[in-house]
Amino acid sequence: MIVKYGGNAMKSPELRRTVARELAALGREQPLVVVHGGGPVIERELALRGIKSEFVRGLRVTTPAAMQIIAMALGQLNKELSYEIGGALGLLGHDSRLLVAEPLGGELGRVGRIVSVNAELLRTLIGVNLTPVVGCVAVDAHGEALNVNADTAAGAVAGALGEGVIFLTDVDGVYRRFPDPASRLEQLSRAEAEAGMAEGWIAGGMLPKVRAALEALTRGATYATIASGMQAGVLRQAAAGEAGTRIVP
Ligand SMILES: Nc1ncnc2c1ncn2[C@@H]1O[C@H](COP(=O)(O)OP(=O)(O)O)[C@@H](O)[C@H]1O
Ligand SMILES: CC(=O)N[C@@H](CCC(=O)OP(=O)(O)O)C(=O)O
């Protein structure tokens, strides 16, 4: 199973401990790959250096100078998370060309689109009972770093491994009428998702998540579910289709 772990699901040290415990328990039971972001950590490190962030279609405009800070911030977070999860090995896209991307170009600067995943490396680590913990920095053909949205990176990894992916966040799925939790959808088809994005009831941070889920299914993932990292036991429930919103083809 692939689990995407990002900004909202690591808001407090307590929440981080809860999610790490869940991931550790799951990693002992079954093959697991964790792909992480860290929007708030990136934001803080950039702000400390006086770099302002701007987002276009949910993606951070990334100058070469910002890219350096982002790689540093995600590298540090990656090691912390690997330690917290335990039985894990922390990696960034640079390591053995784990995530190779091409620049999207234009105003986004050093933002990339993943073109290949070193699935062999991940399978080798899983084969010796390690949990790969992957930070969402990729490299281009010249070995230069590119910033990739962590949802997108998790979707690409799930597609490459042909496994299911769970996107953990701070809401327990996609709501038809956000923020009314009673309007959570158990399933969301590709057609409904396209309609939701066009009509605007899927918006903000949910947009890259839903897009990543659809892309993961296109690339070969067996399932893609959006669920809340704030509920204990959610990973097993989501894998069984009993929690969150499952995006279906
Ligand atoms: N239809 C919707 N259903 C649920 N959440 C939505 C919806 N539309 C927008 N959102 C927003 O998307 C957010 C999740 O995305 P984001 O903040 O990027 O999460 P993360 O940091 O965990 O990756 C929710 O907290 C919510 O504010
Ligand atoms: C291109 C782009 O936007 N990259 C993201 C990568 C981190 C991320 O996605 O982190 P969360 O999962 O915590 O949001 C960024 O710079 O914020």
Side-chain angles (χ1 to χ4, degrees), residues 210-245:
V210 169
R211 280 205 201 98
L214 292 172
E215 178 73 12
L217 295 173
T218 303
R219 289 185 186 221
T222 48
Y223 63 83
T225 296
I226 297 170
S228 168
M230 293 167 169
Q231 294 164 5
V234 74
L235 290 170
R236 282 184 197 80
Q237 288 165 13
E242 291 161 3
T245 296

Side-chain angles (χ1 to χ4, degrees), residues 99-186:
L99 304 174
V100 178
E102 56 189 21
L104 288 176
E107 62 192 323
L108 285 165
R110 299 296 301 160
V111 175
R113 172 187 168 274
I114 293 187
V115 290
S116 74
V117 175
N118 186 346
E120 262 327 292
L121 173 63
L122 296 175
R123 288 202 182 97
T124 302
L125 295 174
I126 290 166
V128 292
N129 295 323
L130 285 171
T131 296
V133 175
V134 181
C136 62
V137 177
V139 282
D140 65 14
H142 311 289
E144 301 288 335
L146 285 165
N147 186 11
V148 179
N149 170 272
D151 295 316
T152 315
V157 169
L161 291 174
E163 297 288 344
V165 53
I166 297 172
F167 299 90
L168 289 182
T169 183
D170 63 343
V171 282
D172 61 352
V174 180
Y175 298 171
R176 183 63 183 83
R177 293 174 302 282
F178 181 78
D180 174 9
S183 70
R184 173 174 66 89
L185 300 166
E186 278 180 23

Side-chain angles (χ1 to χ4, degrees), residues 4 6-7 37-40 42 55 58-60 70 111 136 147-150:
K4 187 272 173 163
I42 293 174
F55 286 83
L59 301 174
R60 189 187 307 272
I70 293 168
V111 175
C136 62
N147 186 11
V148 179
N149 170 272

Side-chain angles (χ1 to χ4, degrees), residues 7 16-17 23 55 69 73 75-76 78 85 92 95-96 127 145 147 149 152 185 188 196 198 215 224 248:
R16 238 165 99 160
R17 275 195 291 275
L23 291 170
F55 286 83
I69 313 295
Q76 179 169 350
N78 179 260
I85 294 165
L92 295 185
D95 296 304
S96 297
N147 186 11
N149 170 272
T152 315
L185 300 166
L188 181 69
E215 178 73 12
V248 293

